[in-house]
Amino acid sequence: MGAQQVAQRYAELYGAPPEGVWAAPGRVNLIGEHTDYNDGFVMPFALPHQALAAVSRRDDGLLRLHSADVGGGVVELRLDALAPGGDENWTAYPAGVVWALREAGHEITGADVHLSSTVPTGAGLSSSAALEVVIALALNDLYGLGLKRWKLARLCQRAENVYVGAPTGIMDQTASACCEQGHALFLDTRDLSQQQIPFDLAAEGLRLLVVDTQVKHAHSGGEYGKRRAGCEKGAALLGVDALRDIPHAGLDTALARLGDEEEVVRLVRHVVTEDHRVERVVGLLRSGGTRAIGPLLTEGHVSLRDDFRISCPELDLVVDTALAHGALGARMTGGGFGGSAIVLAEATDVDALTKAVEEAFTTASFTAPRVFEAVPSPGAHRVL
């Protein structure tokens, strides 16, 4: 749906036009996976796929929510009754943002909301963060809260961590809120400092494909939490605040200190080498070496597959097939256990690569993947 359609549907539901329509995008992470909750570096960019929200204020303590993407009518919630852990439905994401804003001392007296999203769910493209950020931005504007984008991202992360119960880092919400068109966002998740790195693939005759394997993943599942807990254990054993504090040059020494903690060794090795990969990709993009980032993407996939152990047969098949048919680099992206892979390729090779991946899935009797081009797009904004 476009903004006008979302506004029209809002009026049909609630009997009057909305005060505005806002948009927030999903994201693809170019490099820097599972580093955000280790105070490390990430490099996402926004997708053209986005969540749209038509919103108006209320003054009676009610939050009314409707989604074009979920069956059912308008869901009515009382603001005073919002509490973590009480909602396992899609409504937990927008309600959690309202809860987080009120917990932070901001006077939100209610809202009517109609939502529609083109961000694929379960594909590792941050559909939940887009949903959170679009609500936060709308309420920030409507209630004149004056919160900066990074602060909105923090509150959205709190909503997902505490209200929804998913132990995600800060990257997804910050990407949705802060990315700029034609750029990748180099984000230091410790201090939230940001640098917009030009990333115009088309100008260099390149394309970045997203291959959605159609294997759904869920961040609130136990495996994600186990990896995060293992990273925290590694930091504690090494006497640092976070794995970000282990220098790449000192990695071998740090791993030796972990002794026979095999699982922790693997997790630490991934995070430290992944932070280093982000810094190397930034350097290459700044110097015009975009094609040279391909091997670093592939190296990141090997680390996620073998050390972090969060890949799956479908993701590995995408990467292996793409590389065998001329891709410059490929890796899984997102939290893992399904979702999507990205493929960096020459523009002239896109059709052949896409066909090869689709045929490989057919041969393996996997569900047909969804393949589309990832174009660095604007972050959250008001559209109507």
Side-chain angles (χ1 to χ4, degrees):
M1 280 191 180
Q4 292 288 354
Q5 290 172 294
V6 170
Q8 181 179 344
R9 180 61 176 140
Y10 175 99
E12 293 170 357
L13 288 163
Y14 298 115
E19 292 187 76
V21 178
W22 288 259
R27 66 98 188 98
V28 159
N29 193 23
L30 181 64
I31 193 75
E33 220 64 80
H34 288 269
T35 51
D36 58 346
Y37 54 79
N38 289 292
D39 282 2
F41 304 121
V42 295
M43 201 173 186
F45 64 88
L47 288 168
H49 306 73
Q50 58 189 9
L52 291 169
V55 186
S56 296
R57 289 166 289 182
R58 297 180 66 90
D59 59 6
D60 58 359
L62 288 180
L63 175 64
R64 297 198 294 178
L65 301 168
H66 184 269
S67 171
D69 311 307
V70 181
V74 174
V75 178
E76 187 172 296
L77 304 170
R78 292 210 59 83
L79 298 189
D80 290 344
L82 297 180
D87 188 350
E88 296 184 357
N89 300 307
W90 69 270
T91 51
Y93 295 96
V97 172
V98 175
W99 170 84
L101 285 166
R102 285 165 55 86
E103 282 285 299
H106 302 290
E107 188 175 352
I108 308 295
T109 56
D112 286 339
V113 179
H114 172 60
L115 291 152
S116 178
S117 179
T118 58
V119 185
T121 59
L125 304 176
S126 297
S127 57
S128 59
L131 190 57
E132 293 156 0
V133 170
V134 76
I135 295 296
L137 182 62
L139 296 177
N140 188 52
D141 288 355
L142 288 174
Y143 281 95
L145 304 181
L147 297 172
K148 294 187 180 298
R149 295 300 183 93
W150 69 266
K151 183 63 175 178
L152 291 178
R154 275 288 192 211
L155 288 167
C156 289
Q157 182 200 16
R158 176 167 168 76
E160 187 147 353
N161 288 173
V162 180
Y163 196 92
V164 178
T168 55
I170 189 62
M171 174 182 65
D172 296 350
Q173 293 83 2
T174 304
S176 186
C178 300
C179 279
E180 294 182 4
Q181 186 169 354
H183 292 75
L185 179 68
F186 177 35
L187 173 67
D188 182 334
T189 64
R190 170 163 283 171
D191 61 13
L192 297 189
S193 59
Q194 304 175 18
Q195 298 177 48
Q196 300 287 345
I197 308 298
F199 193 50
D200 187 353
L201 293 168
E204 299 189 55
L206 297 172
R207 298 290 187 272
L208 190 76
L209 300 178
V210 175
V211 182
D212 177 3
T213 65
Q214 306 286 344
V215 178
K216 303 300 182 184
H217 75 159
H219 267 177
S220 55
E223 292 300 317
Y224 183 98
K226 288 179 184 177
R227 302 306 189 279
R228 183 164 184 165
C231 290
E232 292 169 352
K233 179 179 179 180
L237 290 172
L238 293 168
V240 294
D241 290 336
L243 295 183
R244 148 75 173 276
D245 297 313
I246 305 299
H248 186 260
L251 177 59
D252 289 344
T253 300
L255 296 182
R257 288 175 55 198
L258 292 172
D260 60 358
E261 293 277 356
E262 180 185 351
E263 182 177 359
V264 176
V265 165
R266 288 190 286 100
L267 298 178
V268 171
R269 182 166 53 219
H270 166 72
V271 172
V272 176
T273 58
E274 186 80 345
D275 272 334
H276 189 52
R277 278 186 285 274
V278 177
E279 294 179 298
R280 291 159 70 193
V281 167
V282 170
L284 287 168
L285 291 180
R286 283 178 170 157
S287 65
T290 305
R291 283 174 173 80
I293 74 173
L296 294 177
L297 302 183
T298 306
E299 184 182 302
H301 181 77
V302 172
S303 182
L304 289 162
R305 182 192 68 200
D306 297 346
D307 275 346
F308 232 67
R309 300 187 181 182
I310 57 171
S311 189
C312 67
E314 290 85 351
L315 288 168
D316 292 340
L317 183 60
V318 174
V319 172
D320 294 344
T321 303
L323 294 174
H325 288 80
L328 299 172
R331 75 172 189 92
M332 58 154 287
T333 187
F337 312 106
S340 300
I342 56 174
V343 178
L344 180 67
E346 301 287 350
T348 53
D349 292 338
V350 165
D351 289 345
L353 278 169
T354 301
K355 182 179 179 182
V357 170
E358 290 172 344
E359 289 179 346
F361 269 57
T362 299
T363 300
S365 298
F366 292 154
T367 300
R370 178 187 180 208
V371 184
F372 59 91
E373 183 182 347
V375 180
S377 301
H381 58 286
R382 186 170 186 164
V383 292
L384 191 67

